Amino acid sequence: MTIPVHPPVGGPHPLPPPGDSAEPLSHWLETHGHPLNTRCGGRGLCNGCQIRVESPAGIVTERACQLTASDLPADLTRIQIPLTSCRDASLHGVTVFELRNPGPPPPTRPGVGLALDIGTTTVAGALWDFSTGRCLAEAAVANAQRRHGDNVVARISFSIDHADGLGRLRRALLNETLRPLIAGLCRDAGIAPAAITQAVAAGNPAMLHTLAGASLVGLATFPFHPVFLGDHHLTAADHGLPFACPLDLLPALGPFVGADITAGALASGLLADEPPALLIDFGTNGEILLKHAGGYLATATAAGPAFEGGRLACGAPARPGVISSLTRENGVWSWTLTGGGNGRPAGISGAAYVDFIALGARDDLINAFGRFNRRHPGVITVADAAPGAGVRVQLTEDLYVSEADVAELLQAKAAIAAGVTTLLELASIRATDLHTLYVAGGFGYHLQPANAQALGLLPAMPLDRIALIGNSSLGGASLLLHPHQRPALNALLADTHVIELNQIASFGDHFTDALSLPD
Amino acid sequence: MKTILASLAVAVETGKRNDAKNLTQSLVDKGMAPLDIVEQGLVPGMSAIGNKFKKNEVFVPEMLIAARAMKECMILLEPLLAKAGIKPKHTVVIGTVQGDLHDIGKNLVSMMLKGANFGVIDLGANVDPSKFAAAAKEHGASLIALSALLTTTMPAMKTTVDAIRASDMAKLKIMIGGAPISQEYADQIGADGYSADAASAVDLALSLVGETH
Ligand code: B12
């Protein structure tokens, strides 16, 4: 007896039924090489792991995390896994970064440095040869913790709600993510891990807490009481890391404005810039750092995973084969794929969604609120779809964008845009006064800034003052391998005021305004 | 005045906050009773936008700007209603549970409830579990509404329901909502109802207080 499983790519895969009758099907599929997007941590709160269960009676769509083998019909014909339910194993983070920091080059010395950026979604690393100042290897892998939730708070919930939850998160990060990443970096560099003489990690506090094995309870509810925010040093041996030196965790600015921003501020060059200047890191948490005449204001906007393709019908992170940018000429859409080529597109990246909305609004397919123009020949209506998902623009044979997708994207955009507006307002600065805007993060690196401005995602300002700097967290961690960078960082820590946007009365008003497109 | 009321309803529905405010002021100046302005101007506007939302013709952005326009009008009318001693038929106590500071969704639900003629006592965000029953008692409320946006503050929702059930307001109806909440969760913690959005929240509230819709 086998169960016929049909993944979205490759042929059918007959699997032996689960041995344990209480095992959720999501877990069973994962052990057989089909990890699903259990982004709410298998709590049955989202639709990330939906599968289609087919029998002669018809097709039912169910959450695999809530099903066991005994829930399957006796006359099951097959289980189909939709593309949107696959946890994207081939996810690649951006390892590209620009070091704009103007300081003198570090003095050469013997040794090898490891810089890490521990993101909620991807974990990236770089190895540096101190004797030459050269980067020996860089790589990124998916954070194996993702099966326990697609955002930090879902992970925090997981650590609280499950027996040994923190241990499981920690092992997923250490054993399944960092160790393979470091092994791969060392292989590429042609060195033994024991040759690493210094190691530095940036990341948000929740990630650094799980790495250190520190309780996440203090990060769960307001007021937040993290176990640590400042520098923290881990003995490599205690954490099963394959080198002898300690791993230095960089300091954060606040409970949700992490060391990734501290590091990014350094890599971008913002610290040395003439104020006012702004850094936006487009991750799920959308952190913003504003340099003004009197110091720094920092905040996190909780944009969610939409710009990384999360929760969108055809959304995908920017991996090879996914649409990376869109254009529209004479009513015809055309696209480019990440990594080039002209195969059948496998998904739509966040940056391409931004292009879609900007061009759709320009050509009157979409109004300022994100509603589709039902009279436009480019807009179709499909019966029997989920609320809001029936009104669509079909881009390719398999890929479309629905009104519900645009609503989700506009909500994420509104969180970031309202965050920027609020910080600028608190410092009495107009966007047009900004000398520089640094856009960090994987999604940000692929953006077409003019389209992002048409959406209101980036403030209206001259394009030549906008710099896409890539993974500035990894860049900053790399710089901080060198002690002479430390004073600049200390100054940032001392001069930063962290803003809880919930406590700023005007944020809600800005959020409401930012839900529509700018006029 | 009929045409001004009709224009007011449209201004609220389409979220023209300055128009809505000016029209309300001109009705007040013309001597119209505040309750009539609410019932014949604001309520039709909010129910029109709510119905469009249910039909997927509008989404959250349009709802939020309509609610904002309604809020401007209520700022003018609430003191007049209080002065005239007008007590709404039903009062609801609403708040975001402890540990959670998200309030945009909760504020929208409040405004929709006001737009359906409920009296609304808004306790704000990060509300101590014991405050709900106390406020309900003080204001003679018939319904409590709880919001939570974080999976980590869902447990505080349960604590709050338990606190209400353990108080002398134990029999009050409780409705809950927020992005991570589901009907299943409502059943699990013993809440009387759940709804996914602000438009259906009004129907739920009406049915919980025994008004057929
Ligand atoms: C805006 C926002 C914020 C703002 C909040 C401003 C404010 N004053 O409320 C800011 C930036 C301050 C913020 C902070 C945080 N946020 Co936030 N935030 C959001 C965001 C983008 C939108 C929420 C929103 O207002 N939507 C608009 C309203 C209208 O919708 P709604 O709230 O869902 O309400 C509707 C329904 O749910 C329902 N409803 C709501 N309440 C009720 C009540 C009743 C009784 C009923 C019947 C119905 C009902 O009706 C409403 C209208 O239809 C969401 C992501 C998203 N796309 O949802 C994240 C999100 C909720 N935040 C998140 C996080 C992690 C945080 C932070 C912890 C992190 C941070 N940035 O520092 C902090 C938390 C601080 C705290 N203790 O509360 C996560 C939660 C993840 C999880 N697993 O729980 C989300 C989902 C983003 C993400 N995926 O990462 N956030």
Side-chain angles (χ1 to χ4, degrees):
Chain A
M1 242 301 282
T2 57
I3 299 180
V5 171
H6 290 238
V9 282
H13 187 188
L15 297 180
D20 174 359
S21 62
E23 181 179 13
L25 293 186
S26 51
H27 188 260
W28 167 70
L29 286 167
E30 174 152 8
T31 49
H32 287 97
H34 301 293
L36 302 185
N37 183 0
T38 47
R39 62 183 178 225
C40 70
R43 300 153 54 99
L45 294 177
C46 72
N47 294 328
C49 66
Q50 280 183 334
I51 51 172
R52 286 199 267 275
V53 178
E54 301 188 16
S55 70
I59 305 178
V60 278
T61 303
E62 300 267 16
R63 297 178 178 126
C65 70
Q66 301 297 307
L67 284 189
T68 62
S70 60
D71 298 320
L72 294 173
D75 53 353
L76 175 81
T77 43
R78 62 176 187 160
I79 289 177
Q80 223 200 318
I81 306 176
L83 174 69
T84 47
S85 296
C86 297
R87 192 189 314 144
D88 164 41
S90 63
L91 181 83
H92 287 292
V94 172
T95 53
V96 191
F97 52 83
E98 272 182 37
L99 297 182
R100 295 178 159 243
N101 179 296
T108 56
R109 58 189 158 117
V112 173
L114 168 69
L116 294 170
D117 160 45
I118 304 179
T120 318
T121 312
T122 51
V123 178
L127 276 179
W128 294 86
D129 180 345
F130 293 146
S131 64
T132 60
R134 272 188 33 237
C135 182
L136 297 173
E138 57 191 19
V141 295
N143 187 335
Q145 285 184 350
R146 285 202 311 154
R147 66 166 165 276
H148 303 309
D150 72 351
N151 60 71
V152 274
V153 170
R155 309 264 172 90
I156 295 169
S157 286
F158 182 85
S159 82
I160 296 169
D161 298 345
H162 290 75
D164 193 29
L166 179 61
R168 286 163 72 186
L169 288 173
R170 181 160 175 263
R171 288 191 295 277
L173 181 54
L174 272 170
N175 303 344
E176 294 174 54
T177 313
L178 283 179
R179 262 130 73 67
L181 172 68
I182 295 168
L185 285 169
C186 289
R187 205 168 41 241
D188 289 352
I191 61 160
I196 296 172
T197 54
Q198 206 183 337
V200 161
N204 64 58
M207 287 304 108
L208 299 188
H209 272 57
T210 56
L211 183 56
S215 167
L216 297 175
V217 171
L219 287 166
T221 57
F222 181 87
F224 302 111
H225 298 291
V227 176
F228 62 92
L229 279 182
D231 288 284
H232 205 78
H233 306 282
L234 303 183
T235 318
D238 290 350
H239 292 76
L241 290 168
F243 42 79
C245 65
L247 175 61
D248 300 332
L249 307 185
L250 294 173
L253 296 169
F256 286 90
V257 191
D260 38 355
I261 303 308
T262 321
L266 195 65
S268 64
L270 177 86
L271 300 188
D273 277 342
E274 191 67 26
L278 191 69
L279 168 70
I280 307 178
D281 190 336
F282 283 103
T284 26
N285 224 10
E287 296 92 344
I288 306 169
L289 180 67
L290 172 66
K291 181 175 193 179
H292 61 100
Y296 299 88
L297 293 179
T299 198
T301 60
F307 287 121
E308 287 160 357
R311 299 173 202 208
L312 304 174
C314 302
R319 67 187 137 88
V322 164
I323 297 182
S324 60
S325 69
L326 277 173
T327 44
R328 187 177 151 89
E329 297 295 342
N330 305 318
V332 181
W333 294 100
S334 48
W335 54 84
T336 55
L337 299 182
T338 310
N342 41 23
R344 195 173 169 138
I348 305 171
S349 73
Y353 278 107
V354 170
D355 297 339
F356 174 84
I357 300 175
L359 300 172
R362 182 197 68 186
D363 293 355
D364 286 328
L365 270 88
I366 305 177
N367 76 10
F369 293 121
R371 292 296 78 69
F372 288 15
N373 176 356
R374 285 150 173 79
R375 279 188 293 273
H376 196 286
V379 174
I380 57 168
T381 304
V382 182
D384 296 334
V391 182
R392 303 174 176 177
V393 170
Q394 199 75 31
L395 288 178
T396 75
E397 214 174 300
D398 333 89
L399 302 177
Y400 64 88
V401 182
S402 73
E403 267 189 335
D405 293 337
V406 170
E408 190 76 32
L409 288 153
L410 288 181
Q411 187 147 186
K413 166 248 167 173
I416 291 175
V420 170
T421 306
T422 306
L423 289 198
L424 290 174
E425 179 184 85
L426 287 172
S428 309
I429 293 167
R430 285 172 308 188
T432 44
D433 294 338
L434 291 170
H435 290 304
T436 319
L437 167 60
Y438 299 103
V439 178
F443 154 71
Y445 195 68
H446 295 105
L447 268 183
Q448 304 202 45
N451 286 344
Q453 285 182 326
L455 217 69
L457 181 61
L458 294 180
M461 59 188 285
L463 283 174
D464 59 4
R465 294 192 214 156
I466 299 178
L468 310 181
I469 57 171
N471 187 340
S472 59
S473 171
L474 185 59
S478 298
L479 286 174
L480 284 157
L481 288 164
H482 305 290
H484 76 285
Q485 298 287 356
R486 213 27 228 228
L489 189 69
N490 292 343
L492 169 70
L493 293 172
D495 294 346
T496 301
H497 184 54
V498 176
I499 304 292
E500 274 282 357
L501 289 171
N502 314 65
Q503 286 165 336
I504 308 296
S506 62
F507 178 82
D509 213 22
H510 295 317
F511 181 80
T512 301
D513 288 330
L515 277 171
S516 32
L517 301 177
D519 357 278
Chain B
M1 295 226 255
K2 272 253 155 54
T3 55
I4 306 184
L5 277 169
S7 316
L8 174 57
V10 171
V12 168
E13 183 192 333
T14 53
K16 305 257 173 352
R17 59 172 150 172
N18 289 332
D19 294 358
K21 188 171 146 190
N22 295 337
L23 290 164
T24 303
Q25 187 62 54
S26 71
L27 288 167
V28 171
D29 294 344
K30 287 191 164 57
M32 188 173 218
L35 189 63
D36 290 342
I37 304 178
V38 174
E39 286 180 345
Q40 296 167 41
L42 307 185
V43 172
M46 288 306 271
S47 92
I49 193 79
N51 285 332
K52 285 191 172 168
F53 184 85
K54 285 183 212 156
K55 286 189 273 177
N56 286 314
E57 286 170 16
V58 302
F59 285 49
V60 171
E62 295 95 326
M63 294 275 282
L64 280 172
I65 61 165
R68 188 161 67 179
M70 157 104 183
K71 187 175 165 193
E72 294 282 349
C73 304
M74 289 307 281
I75 290 172
L76 295 175
L77 296 175
E78 265 167 353
L80 302 176
L81 288 166
K83 211 158 85 198
I86 292 172
K87 282 255 173 314
K89 195 162 163 207
H90 301 288
T91 294
V92 42
V93 170
I94 192 168
T96 303
V97 298
Q98 193 160 52
D100 202 326
L101 292 169
H102 290 88
D103 63 4
I104 296 171
K106 179 217 66 183
N107 294 347
L108 179 53
V109 173
S110 295
M111 232 9 106
M112 290 300 289
L113 289 171
K114 284 188 187 174
N117 237 337
F118 277 84
V120 177
I121 304 298
D122 188 341
L123 301 181
N126 188 24
V127 181
D128 187 284
S130 66
K131 295 257 167 71
F132 288 92
K137 191 168 185 177
E138 182 187 340
H139 297 279
S142 40
L143 185 63
I144 291 179
L146 307 177
S147 178
L149 262 284
L150 296 171
T151 46
T152 45
T153 53
M154 289 166 67
M157 206 169 231
K158 178 175 172 5
T159 317
T160 307
V161 170
D162 290 347
I164 298 165
R165 297 298 185 219
S167 74
D168 52 354
M169 303 302 283
K171 293 215 171 61
L172 270 194
K173 298 284 188 205
I174 305 173
M175 59 191 263
I176 65 172
I181 309 302
S182 62
Q183 181 61 51
E184 235 174 315
Y185 187 69
D187 296 342
Q188 199 182 313
I189 65 168
D192 300 293
Y194 154 80
S195 87
D197 58 69
S200 54
V202 172
D203 298 341
L204 174 65
L206 288 169
S207 78
L208 287 176
V209 298
E211 300 272 340
T212 42
H213 193 60

